[in-house]
Amino acid sequence: MMHSKAMNENKNTGHVKQKLKTGASLFLILFIVSAFLGVAANVVEWEIMKKFSVFIMWTSLPCYFIFSMLYVSSKSNNLSGRFFSIVTFFPLVLFISLAFFLIITDAMYIDKDAVIKVLHSSFIRDALQLSIVTSVTTVMIALIFAIPMGYALSRYRFPGHLFADTIVDIPIVFPPLVAGLTLLVFFSETGIGRWIQEDLGLEFVFQPKGIVLCQFIVSASFAIRSIKSAFDDVDKRLENVALTLGCSRWGSFLRVSLPMASGGIMAGAILTWARAFGIFGPLMILVGSFRGRTEVLSTTIYLEQSVGNLEVALAVALLLIFVAIISLGTIRLLGGRALVKL
Amino acid sequence: MIRVESLTFSVDKFRIDKANIHIAKGEYFVLLGQPGSGKTIFLECLCGLNTPEAGKIYINGKDVTNTEPRKRSIGYVPQDYALFPYLSVEKNISFGLRGQRLPSGEIKSRVEKNASMLGISHLLKRKIEGLSGGEKQRTALARALTIKPDVLLLDEPVSALDESTRDIVCMELRELQKELGITTMHVSHNLEEAFSVADRGAILRNGIFEQVGSPDDLLRKPKNKFVAKFMRCCNVFSGYAKGPGPEHNTTCVDVNGIEFIVPGIHHESMEFIVRPENISLQRDINLKTENPVTQIPVQLDRIINRGTYLRLDCSGKVPVVVYMQHNFFSKLGFSIGDKLSAAIQTQLIHCLNK
């Protein structure tokens, strides 16, 4: 009798959990659809649709969070456990709400003219192209450095290891603007810098190459840190076994260490790309923002807002966010394991 | 087949000092020692994963001291197997062959042959995740054997398995080794495991080989107190030789006022052991026997059930530990607090080296 009662209770709890999960999913879909509709209505200046969508959007988002929070807390079977789930889940709610709120504010501020300008401007197209090309190049170069560096930091213990490990993190900590300033001083005031620019012919100041250099200096640390952690997680015994199974050190690295660390490498690449794609400060100092030559999306936003085109600046910002979301989403879908690492 | 001469290696504060060992072709050798005694480090030196500071390692007559691991012709199964989790069972087994760039047909046939030999043919397409301990162990063994090594080095190969599987796997390991005739070194800390497979064994303590010999020698003729204790012999006695014993080639030794008759001629202080299963307990304290026997008056203090046998802890001037079968114990009807006599036959006493 007692047993069947307990079974019934379990069954009911299962039903409730399922309903909460379905409810949360439905509200999330409703929010995304209404957000898109709202933005579209704003661009085409369809006022009633815009107001309706905004209403649906701002009612579905809290509902989504309430359902999600109840779903998460329903996994605990006591009050203390539920309270713990709610307390840990709530900051997530706040953070995501804030991010949505800011993006939607941007989207609602722009108008039809700004969107048309962004879509038709060859300068903005060039800036987008340069942003993508430079950031992808930066990721490639960063990986070429970060993979061996991450491995060395993870596997070798040498005098000054702690020092080297700390130096790697410095670009993460200091303001990106400082990187631009330092590079400018290096190339214009030091002998080596001038030699690289003038005698070697590798010009960075006010050149597209400088964009890649700035992005690399500011973002490579993310790749190194992430890849080092990934190699830390690779069991050394797997590499050792590979050595006894006919692999050289290179073979063991390529056939065991690399595949084992692939999740962390992917995570590092994503972080580096995200940082490289969005930097602005060091670029303004080292390469400036010359239309069609060194202008990237982040500097376009600055240029547009500085001449009073706030709508266009925000439209470009939305484009930047859109490209970032699409790219991150695609990479994450392709390399599912990277999700765990990030 | 494996010869190690004066091998010295140190890492942090640990040191293997001038280790010498010789393992014959086709021999199954077990390296025993407590955790932290240096077994794995020694094995890694043989594999070439640790470079020794001094000494020589010969495998198959060839000096391999400075040879890369891949050129030593060794099959290595590390502790917990270290299978590649991102590869299937089949790809794990064929890992070594794929590096040799052999034709795919040959790789396939060798993988299938080894898999069928170890009874894991049905697992070839499976991922490593989700395999049982025994299946993982067989996969690791197949992976090591597929490259046809001259020597098989196994680091705690069955320690991750449950008790019942362990016995079966040990039996299979031994049969497989005999069938292939491959020289094998097996590292373990478990005595039952070692005895079930070993031709010979060694006991390692803090990087030093305490004794090398057959399992029976290690058990019954330990060279020193450490080996005796490692082989679970609790009855280690220290005493002074008083004079010749009643029989030829025996000595009377005084231990805490009890006179032991030990084999051999001894002078001054000495140490000897008696295995717990070689001591018999009886009620009659002054039993007359034909063979020279040492009788110790004791009191039964504690009975510990060890499953297949009982451990009886007895106190007295000379405390002793006795192992006894359940049925025998029931017949004798002893209980805690009984005053008994522990009888030890002289030929079952083993004197330790000074």
Side-chain angles (χ1 to χ4, degrees):
Chain A
M1 191 68 181
M2 290 269 288
H3 183 64
S4 77
K5 200 179 166 187
M7 270 180 62
N8 273 341
E9 271 177 19
N10 280 345
K11 213 174 166 183
N12 286 339
T13 322
H15 276 302
V16 172
K17 274 187 196 170
Q18 193 55 43
K19 277 180 184 167
L20 287 170
K21 195 178 170 186
T22 316
S25 308
L26 284 176
F27 279 118
L28 180 64
I29 293 167
L30 198 60
F31 171 76
I32 292 168
V33 171
S34 58
F36 272 106
L37 278 177
V39 172
N42 179 51
V43 170
V44 298
E45 290 163 9
W46 186 6
E47 206 55 35
I48 300 171
M49 187 56 165
K50 181 184 162 186
K51 281 184 177 166
F52 177 71
S53 299
V54 168
F55 173 75
I56 298 290
M57 204 163 64
W58 293 128
T59 43
S60 57
L61 188 65
C63 291
Y64 159 69
F65 282 129
I66 290 166
F67 271 72
S68 300
M69 208 137 62
L70 289 174
Y71 173 66
V72 169
S73 65
S74 71
K75 291 186 175 178
S76 302
N77 55 5
N78 57 59
L79 204 62
S80 157
R82 282 179 190 170
F83 181 67
F84 178 79
S85 312
I86 289 170
V87 168
T88 47
F89 192 73
F90 193 65
L92 188 69
V93 170
L94 278 183
F95 190 85
I96 294 175
S97 303
L98 185 68
F100 274 136
F101 190 76
L102 292 176
I103 295 170
I104 301 291
T105 309
D106 280 2
M108 290 301 172
Y109 194 83
I110 59 174
D111 56 19
K112 199 176 176 178
D113 295 339
V115 174
I116 289 170
K117 193 181 171 190
V118 168
L119 293 177
H120 286 90
S121 165
S122 64
F123 292 122
I124 293 172
R125 266 207 306 277
D126 288 345
L128 174 64
Q129 199 183 343
L130 193 60
S131 281
I132 293 172
V133 170
T134 52
S135 58
V136 170
T137 311
T138 302
V139 171
M140 298 295 177
I141 298 171
L143 288 182
I144 291 170
F145 276 85
I147 292 174
M149 272 180 77
Y151 188 82
L153 283 172
S154 167
R155 287 287 184 266
Y156 310 138
R157 290 291 170 268
F158 51 89
H161 179 270
L162 188 68
F163 177 71
D165 209 26
T166 312
I167 291 288
V168 165
D169 285 338
I170 284 182
I172 296 177
V173 182
F174 72 32
L177 205 67
V178 179
L181 211 57
T182 314
L183 284 172
L184 189 66
V185 171
F186 173 74
F187 286 117
S188 56
E189 300 296 327
T190 66
I192 306 172
R194 279 200 296 272
W195 176 76
I196 292 171
Q197 286 242 113
E198 290 159 18
D199 300 341
L200 213 61
L202 274 172
E203 289 187 47
F204 289 99
V205 181
F206 303 125
Q207 297 298 325
K209 278 193 212 88
I211 302 174
V212 175
L213 184 64
C214 284
Q215 289 177 341
F216 175 79
I217 296 285
V218 171
S219 60
S221 298
F222 290 93
I224 300 164
R225 181 61 48 216
S226 170
I227 292 169
K228 190 225 169 225
S229 306
F231 283 126
D232 283 343
D233 291 343
V234 177
D235 188 347
K236 203 169 180 294
R237 288 176 313 150
L238 295 180
E239 293 171 359
N240 286 344
V241 169
L243 292 177
T244 66
L245 289 169
C247 283
S248 62
R249 277 263 169 223
W250 287 99
S252 153
F253 178 74
L254 293 172
R255 293 181 65 194
V256 178
S257 317
L258 268 190
M260 287 292 288
S262 60
I265 294 171
M266 178 71 89
I270 293 172
L271 285 171
T272 306
W273 180 81
R275 172 88 161 181
F277 195 67
I279 63 156
F280 158 75
L283 299 185
M284 287 305 286
I285 293 175
L286 188 74
V287 296
S289 183
F290 298 105
R291 289 239 124 139
R293 203 175 81 193
T294 60
E295 184 185 352
V296 290
L297 279 189
S298 54
T299 48
T300 305
I301 297 168
Y302 175 74
L303 286 183
E304 291 296 339
Q305 71 87 28
S306 64
V307 293
N309 288 338
L310 202 55
E311 293 85 357
V312 177
L314 287 174
V316 176
L318 268 189
L319 180 65
L320 196 125
I321 293 169
F322 181 73
V323 173
I325 289 173
I326 296 290
S327 315
L328 289 178
T330 314
I331 295 168
R332 284 185 171 208
L333 281 175
L334 290 175
R337 278 200 297 166
L339 275 170
V340 184
K341 292 280 173 186
L342 275 177
Chain B
M1 178 55 98
I2 303 177
R3 204 167 81 241
V4 176
E5 290 175 359
S6 304
L7 183 86
T8 303
F9 175 78
S10 55
V11 55
D12 298 328
K13 285 179 183 169
F14 183 82
R15 186 174 173 84
I16 291 179
D17 201 18
K18 293 179 185 165
N20 290 292
I21 210 156
H22 178 253
I23 302 166
K25 190 173 164 60
E27 193 174 27
Y28 200 123
F29 192 89
V30 177
L31 185 56
L32 279 161
Q34 288 165 339
S37 57
K39 307 184 294 289
T40 298
I41 291 178
F42 183 77
L43 205 67
E44 286 177 351
C45 286
L46 295 186
C47 288
L49 301 170
N50 291 331
T51 312
E53 290 158 17
K56 295 274 178 203
I57 300 168
Y58 298 90
I59 292 178
N60 220 357
K62 212 167 80 182
D63 182 0
V64 295
T65 317
N66 296 310
T67 308
E68 278 182 80
R70 62 185 170 138
K71 291 177 182 164
R72 293 190 179 205
S73 190
I74 47 166
Y76 174 48
V77 178
Q79 203 172 2
D80 297 333
Y81 319 126
L83 293 166
F84 305 119
Y86 55 94
L87 298 176
S88 65
V89 170
E90 186 180 11
K91 290 267 159 79
N92 260 281
I93 299 175
S94 64
F95 188 91
L97 299 178
R98 280 184 285 130
Q100 294 174 14
R101 300 184 198 285
L102 293 173
S104 58
E106 192 182 339
I107 293 178
K108 204 169 173 231
S109 72
R110 271 165 75 172
V111 168
E112 278 169 2
K113 189 184 156 201
N114 275 288
S116 103
M117 183 170 73
L118 287 154
I120 49 168
S121 300
H122 60 292
L123 301 173
L124 286 177
K125 298 290 170 210
R126 288 263 301 270
K127 286 193 164 185
I128 297 303
E129 199 184 332
L131 293 184
S132 71
E135 289 166 345
K136 281 183 184 167
Q137 196 264 355
R138 285 179 174 86
T139 306
L141 198 59
R143 182 180 63 180
L145 289 172
T146 313
I147 56 167
K148 293 185 178 169
D150 289 336
V151 171
L152 190 58
L153 303 173
L154 312 169
D155 191 359
E156 305 265 8
V158 296
S159 62
L161 306 179
D162 61 76
E163 199 81 33
S164 56
T165 320
R166 195 181 295 173
D167 288 344
I168 297 165
V169 172
C170 277
M171 207 167 66
E172 287 174 356
L173 262 179
R174 182 62 187 164
E175 279 168 12
L176 184 75
Q177 187 268 344
K178 270 187 184 163
E179 193 183 316
L180 300 173
I182 188 168
T183 311
T184 304
M185 182 181 252
H186 174 138
V187 160
S188 176
H189 63 269
N190 185 301
L191 287 186
E192 284 81 10
E193 184 186 317
F195 276 83
S196 64
V197 291
D199 288 323
R200 268 190 332 135
I203 295 184
L204 195 64
R205 178 199 190 189
N206 294 332
I208 293 165
F209 284 101
E210 293 285 350
Q211 189 172 346
V212 182
S214 69
D216 203 54
D217 279 351
L218 295 175
L219 188 75
R220 301 191 195 287
K221 295 172 188 166
K223 276 189 180 165
N224 56 38
K225 210 166 160 177
F226 176 81
V227 176
K229 295 246 172 181
F230 187 84
M231 301 310 279
R232 294 189 203 143
C233 178
C234 329
N235 303 313
V236 182
F237 307 110
S238 307
Y240 286 89
K242 282 173 68 180
E247 297 281 313
H248 170 67
N249 202 26
T250 58
T251 307
C252 285
V253 177
D254 179 74
V255 180
N256 274 356
I258 302 285
E259 202 169 273
F260 279 74
I261 305 161
V262 303
I265 308 296
H266 304 278
H267 307 283
E268 299 177 344
S269 63
M270 63 162 308
E271 280 186 325
F272 58 93
I273 64 148
V274 186
R275 289 210 56 82
E277 60 271 21
N278 290 339
I279 300 178
S280 55
L281 284 177
Q282 54 221 0
R283 286 193 189 277
D284 191 348
I285 292 178
N286 293 310
L287 191 75
K288 296 271 185 283
T289 56
E290 287 174 12
N291 297 323
V293 166
T294 303
Q295 294 196 43
I296 314 164
V298 291
Q299 179 180 307
L300 182 57
D301 275 356
R302 198 162 52 159
I303 304 166
I304 302 166
N305 192 342
R306 286 277 176 85
T308 50
Y309 64 91
L310 295 170
R311 174 186 156 133
L312 310 177
D313 288 1
C314 304
S315 64
K317 276 186 177 173
V318 177
V320 292
V321 173
V322 181
Y323 292 166
M324 198 178 273
Q325 297 297 320
H326 284 272
N327 53 355
F328 199 55
F329 182 77
S330 307
K331 261 187 214 166
L332 292 169
F334 295 152
S335 55
I336 291 173
D338 282 359
K339 305 270 186 220
L340 304 167
S341 169
I344 302 165
Q345 290 188 34
T346 300
Q347 71 266 28
L348 298 176
I349 292 176
H350 173 70
C351 299
L352 301 176
N353 289 349
K354 256 197 171 176

